[in-house]
Amino acid sequence: MSTQNRIIPLYPFLTAIYPILFLLSVNVTDVGLKSGFRSAALMLAFAIITFAIALVVTHNAHRSALTSFIITLCFFLIFFVVYAPAYHALREVSLGGEILGRHRYLIPAAFLLFVAAGVSVIWFSRGLTAGMQRSITRILNLVTVILVLIPSFTIIAYAVKKQHVLATTQDNLPAIEQSLTTKAGNVPDIYYLILDMHTSDAVMQDLMNYDDSAFTRALEERGFFVAKCARSNYPNTQYSITSSLNMNYLQEMTDAYDIPYLYPLLQSSLVQRTLSETGYKVYAFESGYPFTELVDADKYFSPVMSAVDLLTYPGLTTFESLLMQVSGGRVLYESREQLSQKMQYIIDAPYVEYRDRIIYALDTIPALVAEPGPKFVFAHILAPHDPFVFDEDGGTAFRRTPFSMDKDPEFGEGYGWEPYSEGYINEIIYLHKRIISIVDKLQQDSQVPPVIIIQGDHGIPRLGLVDAQYEIYSAYYVAGVDTTFLYDTITPVNTFRLIFNALFGSHYEKLPEVIYQQGDDGAFQTVDAKLTCPAEFDSLTAEGEDQITPDD
């Protein structure tokens, strides 16, 4: 038989994975490729099963492929286009006292349509000659290959650009200006714990009417210095953490502020490279925000590590939740009160995954004491940043809306400031219990007193309240040295400059404490912020005429 006659029908399988690839390509900057692994595997399995069933009936690969293709198209048509409108329309239609717009009726009806479509194609394809079957296979193979290549090229182009920028920027990374001097047997582990969107005591008291001083006192009793009027240098995560881990302002390191250009600066930060040169091992955690995940660290921790874990995760992943929201699956969220507890758990699994990731980091950090040191532990923990997923005892916060990593519709503008404040404070209460427990473990079990930095990357940006997006919590435990180098108005850009100077004999210059916002033209401008920090800290002056005056 000639090669032409042995053409392999690939198109039903390519059709099955196309929507997943397309959605991944649209969201490639926000989700990892592995997030679509299970969805693609399930759709591929669907196409294989329908192909196999048709093959049993027809004993012909080309007819079976056509049958699988049509059934898969019907599935996508119903799932993405028809199901939600039909559900809403039939909610108002009853027959014999039964409302037709119910999943118990619509799902079997959809299944019958799949069967009818399959039977019709099998019957119709009987009249196709072998040559016509091969022609259909050849044409549909070509069409679906092109369709799959379009999102694939988008994903590949992003990956290539990312690698190109990474390689280019690697050649221009900030140089290690000063080597650190250590004493044998007296090298502390360094724990840098970023609690995303953790604002200051003053903000919580002033804007949320919550007194957080008990946590501050607990840290101070354990030897911490807590900066009473700390603020971030930038109002968002990628700028703030990139700046702090490179001990410099972004404007001094790069002219490009898009994530692909900042990514190499974070992945190979000056702090990380300086400590690695000194003999430190870098430990990092999956955060749920790919930008801050140091996947090339000496040890990288993730609660979901393998393809098997992804396949067996008991509920929807974040990507799958997105898939549901752009399809007929959104009706599940609209009618969640009617669902069983098990089904509610399945569709709420992205929140569970979000919680699991935070709990995993909180559980794992204290266990790292037993790892041979010295260690630099970087943990970007997405709490108390919304979506709020913990009540004050660590239980699951009640949710009514589909998962969203940012601009959570459950709180904020959609429901008002009060529920937002309540969600934030409940999560703070739980988080602080865990942090104190971690601090106790690290202090008690470390052979050399560790350095522990607990810091917000930015404050609360919701609803434009004052300038609270710059006010952060910032606490330092640095044992065995004079800590007068720390002060109440410290900003993250100086964190490691001052700690390296105090512990390792470096001579980094303390930079001016400036806060910036990005203008419409993309350039950074200094901010004349009205802050809630106490009046005695009103003398924070930057270079030149720029002055930041706290609100009395």
Side-chain angles (χ1 to χ4, degrees):
M1 182 179 295
S2 67
T3 302
Q4 185 178 11
N5 291 336
R6 292 202 306 263
I7 185 171
I8 300 174
L10 299 175
Y11 63 91
F13 315 114
L14 296 177
T15 302
I17 64 173
Y18 169 75
I20 309 302
L21 282 175
F22 175 78
L23 196 59
L24 281 172
S25 71
V26 172
N27 297 276
V28 66
T29 59
D30 300 316
V31 299
L33 293 182
K34 69 177 185 180
S35 63
F37 176 74
R38 183 167 65 174
S39 300
L42 289 174
M43 288 312 307
L44 188 59
F46 177 84
I48 291 173
I49 290 171
T50 55
F51 175 82
I53 293 173
L55 189 60
V56 170
V57 176
T58 65
H59 303 287
N60 183 294
H62 296 290
R63 293 175 61 199
S64 300
L66 186 60
T67 303
S68 176
F69 171 72
I70 295 299
I71 293 176
T72 302
L73 285 182
C74 287
F75 173 82
F76 288 137
L77 177 64
I78 293 172
F79 186 61
F80 284 99
V81 180
V82 175
Y83 194 91
Y87 175 82
H88 292 137
L90 294 176
R91 292 296 294 171
E92 306 300 325
V93 178
S94 62
L95 182 64
E98 283 289 322
I99 296 175
L100 296 183
R102 291 185 175 179
H103 303 302
R104 71 179 71 170
Y105 301 130
L106 293 179
I107 292 176
F111 178 77
L112 290 176
L113 285 175
F114 297 154
V115 173
V119 170
S120 298
V121 174
I122 290 173
W123 180 83
F124 169 78
S125 64
R126 292 185 307 168
L128 298 175
T129 66
M132 294 172 64
Q133 293 174 22
R134 288 194 297 271
S135 295
I136 291 172
T137 296
R138 190 177 298 108
I139 293 170
L140 291 179
N141 272 356
L142 178 62
V143 170
T144 53
V145 164
I146 293 172
L147 281 176
V148 166
L149 284 177
I150 292 172
S152 297
F153 279 146
T154 301
I155 295 169
I156 292 170
Y158 173 79
V160 169
K161 177 182 177 182
K162 186 176 177 181
Q163 288 302 314
H164 173 71
V165 171
L166 184 62
T168 303
T169 310
Q170 286 281 1
D171 296 333
N172 298 289
L173 289 172
I176 298 177
E177 300 174 9
Q178 304 181 40
S179 297
L180 307 182
T181 302
T182 60
K183 296 180 181 179
N186 191 31
V187 184
D189 293 336
I190 301 175
Y191 297 86
Y192 191 28
L193 312 182
I194 298 291
L195 306 181
D196 202 302
M197 210 170 76
H198 195 317
T199 193
S200 67
D201 286 354
V203 169
M204 283 186 274
Q205 181 67 65
D206 191 60
L207 299 183
M208 297 180 171
N209 196 30
Y210 176 72
D211 183 0
D212 194 45
S213 60
F215 177 63
T216 295
R217 286 196 303 272
L219 290 179
E220 290 175 336
E221 290 168 0
R222 288 161 172 79
F224 277 76
F225 175 85
V226 180
K228 300 297 192 300
C229 195
R231 66 288 310 275
S232 62
N233 302 106
Y234 300 92
N236 56 30
T237 297
Q238 63 268 29
Y239 295 159
S240 178
I241 298 182
T242 303
S243 172
S244 65
L245 283 176
N246 284 283
M247 303 186 287
N248 209 341
Y249 291 101
L250 299 180
Q251 304 91 299
E252 301 299 321
M253 297 183 287
T254 179
D255 296 325
Y257 308 125
D258 292 338
I259 283 181
Y261 294 94
L262 295 180
Y263 184 76
L265 290 169
L266 186 81
Q267 294 296 310
S268 300
S269 69
L270 182 58
V271 167
Q272 177 181 339
R273 287 182 289 118
T274 301
L275 289 172
S276 294
E277 182 187 72
T278 310
Y280 276 78
K281 298 295 184 184
V282 178
Y283 290 55
F285 291 84
E286 181 182 78
S287 64
Y289 179 41
F291 180 78
T292 61
E293 294 174 344
L294 305 182
V295 294
D296 294 325
D298 296 299
K299 288 198 175 182
Y300 179 72
F301 297 92
S302 171
V304 178
M305 297 296 291
S306 67
V308 173
D309 293 333
L310 286 170
L311 284 173
T312 58
Y313 190 79
L316 299 180
T317 64
T318 303
F319 175 79
E320 290 161 355
S321 178
L322 174 63
L323 189 62
M324 295 290 280
Q325 292 174 51
V326 298
S327 68
R330 65 181 180 270
V331 301
L332 293 177
Y333 296 99
E334 298 170 2
S335 58
R336 58 173 296 115
E337 293 82 4
Q338 304 170 21
L339 302 177
S340 66
Q341 286 189 342
K342 183 175 181 180
M343 181 57 71
Q344 288 188 33
Y345 174 86
I346 290 174
I347 68 172
D348 284 343
Y351 292 113
V352 178
E353 181 187 20
Y354 191 88
R355 280 171 46 88
D356 287 349
R357 192 182 292 114
I358 294 170
I359 292 172
Y360 177 79
L362 296 174
D363 287 344
T364 304
I365 290 169
L368 298 181
V369 172
E371 295 284 324
K375 302 176 290 292
F376 173 57
V377 178
F378 172 72
H380 174 210
I381 298 171
L382 289 177
H385 195 290
D386 57 303
F388 305 126
V389 292
F390 296 100
D391 63 22
E392 61 184 39
D393 297 316
T396 303
F398 175 72
R399 305 295 313 191
R400 293 166 292 188
T401 54
F403 180 85
S404 175
M405 180 71 81
D406 200 12
K407 297 181 180 178
D408 183 4
E410 185 85 8
F411 300 96
E413 295 183 8
Y415 289 84
W417 176 245
E418 289 303 322
Y420 183 89
S421 299
E422 182 181 357
Y424 184 93
I425 293 305
N426 284 341
E427 193 146 299
I428 278 284
I429 292 171
Y430 168 71
L431 189 62
H432 284 176
K433 295 174 187 175
R434 296 300 309 271
I435 293 298
I436 291 299
S437 175
I438 289 171
V439 166
D440 287 342
K441 178 72 173 177
L442 297 181
Q443 290 182 334
Q444 292 167 11
D445 294 353
S446 297
Q447 294 183 358
V448 177
V451 173
I452 307 173
I453 305 164
I454 301 169
Q455 196 173 81
D457 56 343
H458 57 77
I460 299 176
R462 294 296 182 266
L463 305 182
L465 291 169
V466 197
D467 285 304
Q469 65 266 40
Y470 295 101
E471 299 188 66
I472 62 173
Y473 199 88
S474 193
Y476 301 80
Y477 178 74
V478 189
V481 297
D482 182 0
T483 57
T484 55
F485 68 89
L486 296 169
Y487 47 96
D488 283 299
T489 54
I490 190 171
T491 62
V493 74
N494 279 314
T495 291
F496 286 99
R497 285 177 170 264
L498 300 181
I499 286 178
F500 284 177
N501 290 350
L503 291 176
F504 304 118
S506 61
H507 301 282
Y508 283 102
E509 178 185 357
K510 182 173 80 69
L511 298 179
E513 310 282 8
V514 188
I515 59 178
Y516 289 100
Q517 66 181 359
Q518 201 169 18
D520 294 336
D521 59 356
F524 286 105
Q525 306 166 349
T526 57
V527 177
D528 183 16
K530 296 180 180 180
L531 306 173
T532 59
C533 51
E536 60 263 30
F537 302 123
D538 64 356
S539 59
L540 188 63
T541 304
E543 289 181 310
E545 299 179 355
D546 298 319
Q547 181 167 346
I548 301 167
T549 305
D551 187 14
D552 293 343

